[in-house]
Amino acid sequence: MLILICFIISVFAAVFLLVFSLIKGISAKKEKRKISFKNISANRKRVIVALIIFLLSAVIIQNIIFALIFCGLYLYFGWYFKDKKAKELAALIDKQVIEALTIIKSAVQSGQSLVKAINTASSELKEPIKSEFSGISERLALGASFDKVLSDISEKSPSKEFRLMINTIRISKDSGASLGGMFDRITDAAVQRVAIQSKVNALTAQGRMSGNIVSVIPFVVVLMMYVIEPDMMSSLFTTVAGNILLLIVVIMVLTGSFVIRKLTEIDF
C-alpha cells in the first residue's frame, strides 16, 4: 500500500514538474512566442525528456526505483556524450586556429582591413572553424557592432585558442597595436599549447580507459551472476530492498565514473 501511494505521488510530482518547466521556459522569454519544444534551452529539454522517461518507465514497469535508474542513466550519458562532443569540437578548432591566424595576418599585411581579413578567413578555412568566422561575417554584414560580435562569439566558442585569438583582435583594434607581432606571439603560444594538450591526452588515456572499464565491470558481474545463479540475483529486481541496493550501485558507479573523468582532465 505504501509503495502504491509513493508511486502515485511520484507520478503527480513528475507531471507537475513537466508542466511547470514548459510554462516557465516560455514565460521567461521577453518576447511572446508560441509554445514549442525548439524554443526551450538545451538544459530544459534534457530535464523534460528525463521526466518523460521517468513517467513512461514508472507507468510501464510500475517501479519507481527502476524509473529513477533509467532517468539517472539518461541524464548521465546525455551529459557524457555532450561533454565528449564539445571537447572533440574544441580540439579541432584549436588545431585550426594556427591556420586562421596565418590567413588573417597575411591578409592584414597585404593591406586588407580587419573585417575583410575575417571574410577571407571564412572563405578559405574548413569546418568547424569556418562556421565561427562565417557567423562573424554574417553579423557584421547586417550592421552589428564589431566589438559586440567578437564578444558574443568569444563567449560561445568552446575553444580556448579561438577565444584568445578573438580577444586579441578586440584589444588590438581598440588599442591600435600592431596585429602582425601579436599574431606571431599567439601563433607560437598556440602551437606549444596544442602540442602540450596532445601529450596530456596521451598520458591520461590510460586513466580514462581504466575509468570506463571500472564503470562497466559491476554491471558485467551482475549479469554473469544472474546467468549463473538466477534465483539468488532475482531478488535485486523483484524486492524493494534489492531495487534500492541496485539504485545505490548505479549511483556509486556513475559518481565514480564522473570523478575519474574529472581527475583525468588537466586544464591549463
Side-chain angles (χ1 to χ4, degrees):
M1 185 63 182
L2 181 60
I3 297 176
L4 179 61
I5 294 174
C6 293
F7 172 76
I8 295 173
I9 294 174
S10 299
V11 170
F12 276 107
V15 173
F16 173 77
L17 290 173
L18 177 61
V19 176
F20 179 76
S21 298
L22 284 171
I23 295 174
K24 187 176 179 181
I26 303 302
S27 62
K29 303 296 181 180
K30 293 182 179 180
E31 297 180 357
K32 294 182 180 180
R33 295 185 295 181
K34 294 181 179 180
I35 297 177
S36 174
F37 191 71
K38 295 181 180 180
N39 297 333
I40 306 174
S41 63
N43 291 331
R44 291 184 183 276
K45 287 180 180 178
R46 283 194 292 272
V47 172
I48 292 173
V49 173
L51 290 173
I52 293 174
I53 291 174
F54 174 80
L55 284 173
L56 292 176
S57 302
V59 171
I60 295 173
I61 305 176
Q62 295 185 354
N63 189 311
I64 297 175
I65 297 177
F66 274 96
L68 289 173
I69 291 175
F70 293 147
C71 183
L73 289 174
Y74 165 76
L75 290 174
Y76 177 80
F77 284 107
W79 165 83
Y80 175 83
F81 288 113
K82 180 186 177 183
D83 184 66
K84 183 178 180 181
K85 184 178 180 181
K87 289 179 179 177
E88 291 176 350
L89 178 63
L92 289 174
I93 296 177
D94 286 344
K95 294 178 181 179
Q96 291 180 300
V97 163
I98 300 172
E99 182 182 359
L101 286 169
T102 303
I103 293 174
I104 295 176
K105 176 188 171 183
S106 300
V108 171
Q109 289 179 342
S110 65
Q112 295 183 10
S113 64
L114 190 55
V115 175
K116 183 64 177 178
I118 292 176
N119 292 333
T120 302
S122 66
S123 62
E124 295 184 7
L125 291 170
K126 298 180 180 179
E127 296 291 350
I129 200 172
K130 179 182 178 68
S131 299
E132 303 285 349
F133 281 102
S134 297
I136 296 175
S137 300
E138 290 174 0
R139 292 188 60 184
L140 290 176
L142 294 174
S145 170
F146 187 83
D147 188 72
K148 176 64 175 175
V149 172
L150 295 185
S151 177
D152 293 342
I153 204 72
S154 175
E155 292 178 358
K156 296 178 181 179
S157 177
S159 170
K160 293 181 179 180
E161 302 300 332
F162 185 81
R163 291 197 297 268
L164 177 62
M165 179 183 66
I166 294 300
N167 291 332
T168 301
I169 294 175
R170 289 176 57 198
I171 294 172
S172 300
K173 188 175 184 302
D174 293 338
S175 62
S178 174
L179 283 174
M182 296 188 69
F183 279 169
D184 286 336
R185 289 190 290 271
I186 295 176
T187 302
D188 294 337
V191 171
Q192 295 177 5
R193 287 172 64 91
V194 170
I196 293 173
Q197 186 64 53
S198 299
K199 292 181 180 179
V200 168
N201 292 337
L203 293 173
T204 57
Q206 183 178 358
R208 294 195 301 272
M209 182 61 68
S210 300
N212 294 332
I213 294 174
V214 169
S215 302
V216 173
I217 285 177
F219 300 104
V220 175
V221 171
V222 170
L223 179 61
M224 293 176 61
M225 291 295 296
Y226 186 81
V227 173
I228 297 172
E229 292 289 343
D231 295 334
M232 181 181 70
M233 297 300 295
S234 61
S235 59
L236 281 175
F237 307 97
T238 57
T239 63
V240 177
N243 294 162
I244 295 174
L245 182 61
L246 188 61
L247 176 62
I248 294 173
V249 170
V250 171
I251 292 174
M252 293 180 67
V253 168
L254 296 182
T255 303
S257 177
F258 175 79
V259 171
I260 292 174
R261 184 172 177 81
K262 287 300 180 181
L263 288 175
T264 55
E265 292 179 1
I266 299 177
D267 193 9
F268 59 93

